[in-house]
Structures are given as C-alpha cells and as structure tokens.
Amino acid sequence: MSFASDVKKELTMLEVHPEHAKAELAALIRMNGTIDLVKQAVFVTIQTENAAIARRVYSLIKKLFDLKADISVRRRMKLNKNNVYFIRLNKEAKRILSELDILETMVEETNLPASIKENEQKVQSYLRGAFLARGSVNSPETNSYHLEIHSSTRVMNQDIFDMLEMFELNPKMHERKNGGYMTYLKEAEKIADFIGTIGANNGLFQFEDVRIVRDMRNSVNRLVNCEQANLNKTVDAATKQIEAILTIDEEIGLQTLPEKTQEIARLRLENPEASLKELGELIPEAPISKSAVNHRMRKITKMAEELIVS
C-alpha cells in the first residue's frame, strides 16, 4: 500500500464533529459527484474507486441525515479494471445539498459560500474531503516532495487554492493539458503541515520520520562530499607545490632560496598532506598565517615556472 493510501485510510476512520463532518462530505460530493436535474427533482451520484472512501461517504450520509443512500459496484472493463463504487442520492438529494451549503455551487458552478470558507475548522474538514476525493501525495522516501489535489473546474480549484493559502501553505496552481486543474504543494514542511491540518496524525509522524532520516542522510553525504572535495583540492595543490620545489632543487638548489621561502619549501617536502594552515603552524620560531604560507608558495611556483621556460 502506498503512503497516500495509508493517509487516506487513516482519514476515513477519523471521528469528526457533525458540523465539521458536513464540510468533509460537501467536498466529497462536490469533487467526486455529479448532479442531474430532472424537472424539479435533484439527483446526485458520487463515484470513487476506493472502497474505504465509499464507506466513508455512505456512513457520513447515514450519520448526518439519517438516510441510507443507494450504493452499487461496477468493475471497469478497460485499463486497470478496478471496482468503481457509486453512491446515489435520490429523493433527499436537494435537501442534503442545501444543508451542506453546496446546492448553488453544484448547480451554477460558483465558489463555496462564506459559511464554509470563513470557518477554519470547516476549511480543515473540507480540505480533508478534497484530499480523499482527488488528492495524492508522494512517499517521503522518493526523490521529490509533492502533494496535489485535482479539480474538474477552475472555480473548484480556486476554492482549494484559497483554503491552502488560508493556512499559509504556499500552494501553486496548474491547468492540466488533458483537462482539469491542479493545486499542489512542493515544500516538505508545507506538505507535513497539510497532512497534520487535515487530521492524519499517523501519516504526519510517518512523513516526518522518513523526511528527517532522509534529510540527515543527505546532509551527511553533502558534508562528506565537501570534505572529500576539500581534501582533493589540498592534495592537488600540495602535489603541484612539491613538483615546483623539486624543480627548483634540481635546477638551482633550494639553498638559493631566501631563508623563509626555503624553510616553507622543506616543510612542504616533509609534510606533503598538510594544509597551508597546518604548514604555517609547523614553523618553530613563530607560526605564520595561511595567507603568508600561500604567498611563499606562489613565489616558489612562479620561480619553478620561470626555470622551466628558461
């Protein structure tokens, strides 16, 4: 089972206050439902391939409205051939949509009313329903962090975007080439905040545990790589310095160098793996700085290059 499936399974088992549960059901119906108007009658069908979500929708309708919805199952004949669950609201559909405050937005495709969008707890519940209906999230063990919620209309997508902004989650929007819209999060911390906001605490702990270990491993790898690069740089520089010193010794002898330059040259030959800072600290009379050592080494390198050219 994927991480996203684990999170959704946890969400379908949450106990929620009835008023907040209405907001969750509103999202599930609005985002996974279709509405049919026959004369003055309203019919709604909610569709999902997730059995746990189908049970959640059915149980919320029964609990909140004391109504048993019609439910049926069909098997897809193409592609993945998964079961598809249909929950139908017939006689009481109009009343239920009205009590959920989504009748107008489903009929005329308008934005959600303030009764939902301006109530923080209802917004949390609506986002939970939206994620159950059309959401997905990458496992924190993958190479990139990504959480998204799809919407079939621009208006629906804008509502999701606004709600995520309400919790300062830095959402992004995208219009899909094959139709529909998407609001998504890319930052690990924001994804963790969202998972916690919609009530998936176990999912949040799992996400954070994996993320912390992964980030720590990456930090260690970066440090090791950085240290290795610095070591390679030091070794390469030291090799070139030794080659220059040996050239001078062979051509004119180290004794021809100024006393201080000669001293640092001999220290380099005796300590080929030492850094410039360490070489400066090895001078017995009075240790010198890294820049002073580098200055003397540049003189040695320049002298060797001139000797080679001549």
Side-chain angles (χ1 to χ4, degrees):
M1 187 177 289
S2 68
F3 175 70
S5 297
D6 287 340
V7 172
K8 289 188 176 186
K9 184 176 180 181
E10 179 185 358
L11 293 175
T12 61
M13 295 187 289
L14 284 180
E15 288 293 331
V16 185
H17 185 280
E19 283 304 308
H20 307 151
K22 285 183 178 180
E24 178 185 329
L25 181 60
L28 286 161
I29 293 176
R30 188 186 183 205
M31 300 191 73
N32 267 6
T34 55
I35 186 169
D36 293 309
L37 304 176
V38 182
K39 295 182 179 180
Q40 294 187 354
V42 175
F43 301 91
V44 173
T45 302
I46 305 102
Q47 178 179 328
T48 178
E49 293 184 11
N50 189 308
I53 294 174
R55 285 193 297 271
R56 180 73 167 182
V57 173
Y58 182 87
S59 64
L60 286 176
I61 292 171
K62 183 178 180 181
K63 179 179 180 180
L64 296 172
F65 300 101
D66 193 25
L67 176 69
K68 290 185 178 181
D70 296 328
I71 186 166
S72 60
V73 184
R74 293 179 189 171
R75 189 172 183 82
R76 290 192 187 277
M77 301 309 294
K78 298 179 180 180
L79 299 177
N80 53 24
K81 296 186 178 181
N82 289 342
N83 287 335
V84 183
Y85 302 85
F86 298 89
I87 302 98
R88 292 185 176 84
L89 298 173
N90 298 321
K91 296 179 180 179
E92 300 292 329
K94 186 174 183 179
R95 176 177 70 88
I96 290 173
L97 295 183
S98 295
E99 289 193 31
L100 294 177
D101 276 344
I102 57 170
L103 178 60
E104 183 178 349
T105 188
M106 289 196 69
V107 173
E108 301 180 9
E109 291 191 7
T110 58
N111 290 105
L112 288 170
S115 60
I116 294 177
K117 291 185 75 173
E118 294 181 5
N119 183 305
E120 184 173 313
Q121 290 178 313
K122 287 185 179 181
V123 168
Q124 288 177 288
S125 292
Y126 188 93
L127 286 173
R128 178 169 58 253
F131 180 77
L132 284 170
R134 296 284 192 91
S136 65
V137 58
N138 283 5
S139 167
E141 295 179 350
T142 57
N143 292 328
S144 62
Y145 298 108
H146 184 81
L147 183 146
E148 64 188 36
I149 299 175
H150 295 269
S151 301
S152 57
T153 68
R154 188 184 299 274
V155 170
M156 200 181 296
N157 193 59
Q158 186 64 53
D159 283 334
I160 299 297
F161 183 88
D162 293 343
M163 290 177 173
L164 293 174
E165 277 206 319
M166 179 177 173
F167 291 97
E168 300 180 352
L169 296 177
N170 193 27
K172 309 293 182 185
M173 263 198 247
H174 176 69
E175 184 173 353
R176 304 174 71 189
K177 291 182 180 179
N178 59 349
Y181 302 84
M182 176 177 72
T183 296
Y184 63 94
L185 308 177
K186 297 295 289 186
E187 301 168 62
E189 291 183 2
K190 301 302 184 182
I191 292 173
D193 288 344
F194 175 84
I195 294 172
T197 296
I198 61 176
N201 292 326
N202 291 335
L204 171 61
F205 293 145
Q206 182 183 347
F207 184 90
E208 288 289 58
D209 284 347
V210 174
R211 183 172 74 92
I212 289 169
V213 171
R214 176 186 171 187
D215 289 351
M216 187 178 298
R217 187 186 301 119
N218 289 341
S219 296
V220 170
N221 288 339
R222 282 194 295 269
L223 286 173
V224 170
N225 291 338
C226 183
E227 289 178 2
Q228 186 62 48
N230 289 336
L231 179 59
N232 291 341
K233 185 178 178 181
T234 299
V235 170
D236 290 344
T239 300
K240 292 177 181 179
Q241 292 162 4
I242 290 172
E243 289 175 355
I245 294 168
L246 293 176
T247 297
I248 294 172
D249 191 31
E250 183 179 337
E251 295 292 331
I252 60 175
L254 292 180
Q255 69 275 7
T256 61
L257 295 174
E259 183 179 347
K260 291 183 178 179
T261 306
Q262 184 181 149
E263 181 180 39
I264 205 68
R266 295 192 184 282
L267 281 173
R268 168 53 80 200
L269 292 175
E270 294 168 1
N271 303 274
E273 296 181 357
S275 66
L276 296 181
K277 182 174 181 295
E278 290 168 341
L279 283 180
E281 294 171 349
L282 289 173
I283 295 177
E285 297 83 9
I288 61 174
S289 67
K290 174 183 175 181
S291 60
V293 175
N294 191 42
H295 177 69
R296 295 180 190 181
M297 285 299 180
R298 282 203 302 269
K299 281 186 175 182
I300 291 172
T301 303
K302 184 178 181 182
M303 182 181 294
E305 290 173 351
E306 292 172 351
L307 288 171
I308 292 172
V309 172
S310 61

